[in-house]
Amino acid sequence: MAGLARIRHVKLPVSDLARSVAWYCDLLDLRLAGEFREEGELRGAQLMHPSGFGITLWEREYCAGTPDFRGFDVFALEVESVDDLHAFAARADELEYTRGEVFDRGPYGAVLDLADPDDTVVRLLANNPFRADRFLGVDTDGKGGFSVYDTPTLG
């Protein structure tokens, strides 16, 4: 649709708002840009990156259905290079935050998974091969291997 520019923010349920605000600000260089109260009680926070994207955090007990995303990558952030992934890994180690290994798949991109305080996966990608001007299908084998295909199976 004309005028659509980018995703403005994602909203994540968290069990401890202050702890999660600190994690996202410390590791991803986000800044506290706003707070949300309901009847005087703090329930959420808006974090922003200087590039313009944001992450909204909301106390899980006040979310509809109390969603839990442990082990799931709800969104991914793109970095400029594999070196940037290694820099984030080093920063996570320095802060003693849980992370996976940098996994470089060559022309199919590189990935680093970070676990936030609620074990929601924040995925960082470099050299991501998905683009709006072409189709790329990926079939994983459950053991870390994959194959690619170029004809969609969806309508």
Side-chain angles (χ1 to χ4, degrees), residues 19-55:
R19 179 180 67 173
S20 292
V21 165
W23 188 91
Y24 281 91
C25 289
D26 289 347
L27 187 58
L28 302 181
D29 288 331
L30 301 179
R31 299 290 180 260
L32 181 62
E35 293 180 343
F36 304 99
R37 293 181 175 274
E38 291 179 348
E39 299 177 14
E41 296 294 323
L42 185 61
R43 300 287 190 247
Q46 177 68 48
L47 309 178
M48 296 299 298
H49 188 269
S51 66
F53 81 85
I55 295 175

Side-chain angles (χ1 to χ4, degrees), residues 106-154:
Y108 298 105
V111 63
L112 169 65
D113 287 344
L114 306 162
D116 82 359
D118 289 288
D119 290 326
T120 299
V121 173
V122 176
R123 179 161 286 173
L124 302 182
L125 302 170
N127 305 324
N128 190 310
F130 288 98
R131 301 188 313 260
D133 64 348
R134 70 163 193 182
F135 175 84
L136 175 67
V138 180
D139 187 0
T140 60
D141 65 9
K143 300 175 186 170
F146 66 94
S147 60
V148 297
Y149 56 96
D150 58 11
T151 303
T153 55
L154 289 171

Side-chain angles (χ1 to χ4, degrees), residues 62-123:
Y62 300 101
C63 295
T66 58
D68 186 337
F69 296 118
R70 278 182 278 197
F72 187 69
D73 58 310
V74 178
F75 65 97
L77 301 172
E78 192 162 16
V79 299
E80 296 294 324
S81 70
V82 175
D83 288 341
D84 290 334
L85 293 178
H86 287 287
F88 272 103
R91 178 76 175 141
D93 290 345
E94 176 184 315
L95 294 168
E96 298 181 354
Y97 291 156
T98 304
R99 69 170 179 87
E101 296 300 317
V102 173
F103 183 58
D104 190 346
R105 299 169 293 197
Y108 298 105
V111 63
L112 169 65
D113 287 344
L114 306 162
D116 82 359
D118 289 288
D119 290 326
T120 299
V121 173
V122 176
R123 179 161 286 173

